[in-house]
Amino acid sequence: MNSAINTAFMRIATRAEAVDPSTLVQTFVDVGPLFSALAGIDHQIVYGRRGTGKTHALVYLAHDVAKKGDIPVYLDMRRVGSTGGIYADPDIPITERATRLLSDTLAELHEKLLEVVLERAEELNLSELGPKLDLLAKALSEVAVTGAIEQEEIHKSASTDERTERSGINVSVKEANVHLQSSQKDSQSFGHEARLKRSGLARHRVHFGSVQQALESITAILKKIRIWLILDEWSVVPLELQPYLADLLRRSVFPIRGITVRIGAIEQRSEFQLLGERGDYVGIELGADASANLNLDDFMVFDNDEERSITFFQELVYKHYLSVVADDLASPRFRNSDEFIQQAFTQRNVFGELVQAAEGVPRDAIHILSITAQKAFREKIAIEHIRMAARAWYQQDKGRVVGAQTEANNLLHHIIDEVIGRRRTRAFLLRSNTRNTLIDALFDARVLHIRKRNISSNEEAGVRYDVYKIDYGCYVDLLTTTRAPKGLLSLGDKDEDARFIEVPPDDYRSIRRAILDLSVLNTPVT
């Protein structure tokens, strides 16, 4: 039986785009108020690192709104136009690249809308919507990004002064002839050239023509049917072009009452705004034009509720198992997820070890589970299988990514030596209002995880800290040694006064020992 279960674990797809949308719907597990926050009609940016489930959640949202009669338009930005080609080519002017990106995105929007209208021709009035969609197609040619024009002025002046003098004496005596002559010539030339080049600031303007008008005419016919424009994988768009695409949305889509926009992005790889000189901007102002209050990394923390975390991943793994064995009548079936976990793992705390190793990232959990299943195969999964798999996955994925970034890798080793080696803990504190580019890189690579935000100290009024936890793969080799971490955080002012805790409270009496000082490495802070 266990070989069949482990074989099914190895067949679970790790990326949402590789799975049929219907399977994504079947395997979706809601996290508290996540879907309620996702289903509001305000424009919203959904943040989350790779593997936290953005695509899964957005595909489920598209299915849900379609079931209610609305029109979902799901665009994977990796498949729009030529993202990896012309958009990223630095030899092509940014105005041309941005214009092409905007036109390609609108073309995808037009095509998806046309597909829905044709599929629902009995319900939607094609004779009315067809001409309006034609207007949208025509409006594509009116989208353009224009930039500053260079001007060059050249002034030349020249003068020449030339002077010639001649003198001579001619004396003739009988049978003698003497000829004397003197000549002098002076020549002077003066020249001047002035070159003035004006290029100005690299400020660009986006012209949309009749895009907004075309979209308004479409929503007017649809009446109460709402269009949900869902842009996934936003962060694959070159960083310098993202504000222009955001500006297209703000000017042409956001003002229309019948359209809701969702954007799935990675915070550390996104740029939504390009500021001007006098407070003007190109793009989206977060919080004003669109809310950015939904971060899947925060939802996966589960407010430090271990049992709630285990329950989520238990349902996630069980639903994925059912989807894999749906057509295999020989595979074992179970009455519920509790019975399933009891059969697949030696003990419930072994599954808890898997959840801890995943650090709240569903894709990492599935990868580790797949490797674990290979190692256990005919046996029930035990803790040693989880730890071997977590080590292997860290080396294959996270360790390789960080190792390619020298400065980030040096910082990680410093953190490991200081936090795990000296303090014997798994987490540390950093001020909430500071940004460190290397910490962001380690967080994006999923070797650091935010456990809790905005905690305070009674000793420092108004100062807030975030709790960062080091990835399980960084210390898994130490778990069976005397160097294993003793707790999540240590409190107290000195090593001899240290008290170890597992759940970070909202405030501390003394947190000095838990704060990590990055100034010793001169890491860039903004």
Side-chain angles (χ1 to χ4, degrees):
M1 178 181 290
N2 282 98
S3 61
I5 295 175
N6 288 330
T7 299
F9 285 159
M10 288 184 275
R11 291 169 53 197
I12 296 176
T14 57
R15 298 193 63 88
E17 62 270 19
V19 180
D20 183 85
S22 61
T23 301
L24 292 179
V25 171
Q26 294 170 8
T27 57
F28 179 77
V29 180
D30 197 7
V31 187
L34 170 62
F35 190 73
S36 298
L38 193 63
I41 63 173
D42 291 335
H43 306 305
Q44 187 178 53
I45 302 199
V46 182
Y47 282 129
R49 294 173 297 170
R50 295 171 299 158
T52 52
K54 295 187 302 297
T55 296
H56 204 153
L58 292 174
V59 169
Y60 186 82
L61 173 66
H63 166 80
D64 185 76
V65 300
K67 188 170 62 174
K68 294 176 180 176
D70 286 342
I71 299 176
V73 178
Y74 176 88
L75 299 183
D76 185 337
M77 296 308 298
R78 294 171 301 179
R79 305 188 183 194
V80 171
S82 52
T83 303
I86 185 174
Y87 302 155
D89 190 345
D91 295 328
I92 300 175
I94 192 170
T95 52
E96 182 179 339
R97 288 188 284 147
T99 298
R100 185 75 65 88
L101 171 64
L102 304 187
S103 297
D104 288 346
T105 303
L106 285 174
E108 286 287 330
L109 171 61
H110 169 267
E111 184 153 348
K112 296 285 186 181
L113 284 174
L114 181 59
E115 288 177 5
V116 173
V117 171
L118 292 175
E119 289 174 0
R120 297 166 60 176
E122 296 182 0
E123 173 191 355
L124 304 175
N125 192 332
L126 182 59
S127 62
E128 289 185 355
L129 284 171
K132 304 305 180 184
L133 288 170
D134 291 341
L135 286 177
L136 178 60
K138 184 179 178 181
L140 302 182
S141 61
E142 298 185 22
V143 174
V145 178
T146 59
I149 300 176
E150 287 191 346
Q151 294 180 335
E152 188 175 62
E153 299 177 10
I154 300 176
H155 300 280
K156 291 184 177 181
S157 62
S159 62
T160 302
D161 183 9
E162 184 172 331
R163 183 176 58 196
T164 303
E165 296 180 2
R166 292 176 181 274
S167 61
I169 301 175
N170 193 6
V171 181
S172 179
V173 183
K174 188 178 180 180
E175 297 182 357
N177 187 18
V178 179
H179 179 77
L180 300 174
Q181 183 174 354
S182 174
S183 177
Q184 181 178 351
K185 181 179 181 180
D186 293 331
S187 179
Q188 293 181 324
S189 178
F190 302 92
H192 175 70
E193 178 176 319
R195 184 183 296 266
L196 178 63
K197 186 175 183 180
R198 295 189 179 93
S199 59
L201 296 175
R203 296 191 302 170
H204 304 286
R205 294 291 182 267
V206 186
H207 299 286
F208 298 117
S210 57
V211 174
Q212 182 178 343
Q213 181 181 351
L215 290 173
E216 284 180 337
S217 65
I218 292 172
T219 56
I221 295 174
L222 292 173
K223 296 179 181 177
K224 294 183 179 181
I225 298 177
R226 177 171 291 274
I227 296 174
W228 293 72
L229 177 57
I230 302 171
L231 303 180
D232 196 9
E233 301 291 351
W234 173 275
S235 302
V236 303
V237 177
L239 206 62
E240 66 271 20
L241 300 186
Q242 291 180 19
Y244 299 102
L245 180 56
D247 207 54
L248 167 70
L249 299 173
R250 177 173 67 94
R251 295 178 184 272
S252 297
V253 183
F254 281 13
I256 302 174
R257 292 183 179 179
I259 300 180
T260 293
V261 177
R262 288 287 179 276
I263 299 174
I266 299 173
E267 187 174 4
Q268 293 75 22
R269 303 185 189 184
S270 300
E271 190 67 60
F272 286 98
Q273 191 180 70
L274 184 66
L275 294 175
E277 289 181 310
R278 301 179 180 178
D280 59 326
Y281 62 92
V282 171
I284 294 173
E285 184 177 356
L286 300 182
D289 300 318
S291 64
N293 59 352
L294 187 57
N295 192 320
L296 293 187
D297 285 300
D298 292 341
F299 272 92
M300 293 298 111
V301 172
F302 298 98
D303 295 325
N304 305 295
D305 187 336
E306 181 181 354
E307 191 57 36
R308 185 174 164 220
S309 176
I310 290 175
T311 299
F312 167 79
F313 279 97
Q314 177 174 311
E315 293 301 320
L316 181 72
V317 172
Y318 183 51
K319 286 190 174 184
H320 275 285
Y321 171 80
L322 292 178
S323 70
V324 168
V325 302
D327 298 326
D328 185 2
L329 299 179
S331 295
R333 297 297 196 274
F334 304 91
R335 290 174 295 179
N336 51 50
S337 60
D338 286 330
E339 186 178 89
F340 166 71
I341 293 298
Q342 184 178 1
Q343 178 60 46
F345 297 83
T346 56
Q347 299 179 56
R348 183 170 174 78
N349 70 315
V350 175
F351 185 76
E353 192 81 7
L354 171 66
V355 174
Q356 184 179 352
E359 301 286 6
V361 181
R363 188 183 300 164
D364 286 345
I366 293 174
H367 273 292
I368 294 171
L369 182 60
S370 177
I371 300 173
T372 299
Q374 296 176 41
K375 296 184 179 301
F377 196 49
R378 290 185 174 84
E379 304 173 1
K380 286 187 176 183
I381 294 174
I383 280 186
E384 57 267 25
H385 299 134
I386 299 287
R387 291 176 177 175
M388 286 189 292
R391 183 188 306 111
W393 173 238
Y394 180 85
Q395 293 170 348
Q396 292 173 21
D397 184 75
K398 303 175 186 181
R400 179 178 52 81
V401 171
V402 176
Q405 306 175 58
T406 303
E407 291 184 344
N409 192 43
N410 290 340
L411 176 59
L412 177 62
H413 284 294
H414 169 74
I415 293 173
I416 292 173
D417 291 342
E418 175 66 20
V419 177
I420 298 177
R422 191 179 74 81
R423 304 181 190 180
R424 305 290 297 277
T425 61
R426 306 190 304 271
F428 58 91
L429 304 182
L430 285 179
R431 283 203 177 195
S432 301
N433 60 347
T434 59
R435 292 294 299 270
N436 182 289
T437 55
L438 297 182
I439 289 290
D440 284 348
L442 295 177
F443 179 72
D444 184 42
R446 309 184 319 286
V447 295
L448 293 181
H449 311 274
I450 293 182
R451 182 70 181 267
K452 196 176 185 67
R453 297 183 188 270
N454 292 320
I455 66 169
S456 63
S457 167
N458 294 336
E459 297 176 344
E460 300 174 289
V463 179
R464 295 279 174 172
Y465 292 89
D466 293 334
V467 180
Y468 282 86
K469 183 181 180 299
I470 301 173
D471 188 73
Y472 180 91
C474 293
Y475 59 84
V476 62
D477 288 330
L478 303 177
L479 291 177
T480 56
T481 71
T482 57
R483 299 167 56 203
K486 294 182 177 180
L488 181 73
L489 286 169
S490 62
L491 304 183
D493 295 333
K494 300 178 181 179
D495 290 352
E496 56 269 22
D497 300 329
R499 293 180 291 106
F500 296 95
I501 62 172
E502 286 296 332
V503 178
D506 293 327
D507 58 74
Y508 295 87
R509 183 171 301 277
S510 177
I511 61 174
R512 295 176 188 172
R513 192 173 185 273
I515 298 172
L516 184 67
D517 182 13
L518 298 178
S519 62
V520 295
L521 293 181
N522 296 317
T523 56
V525 177
T526 59

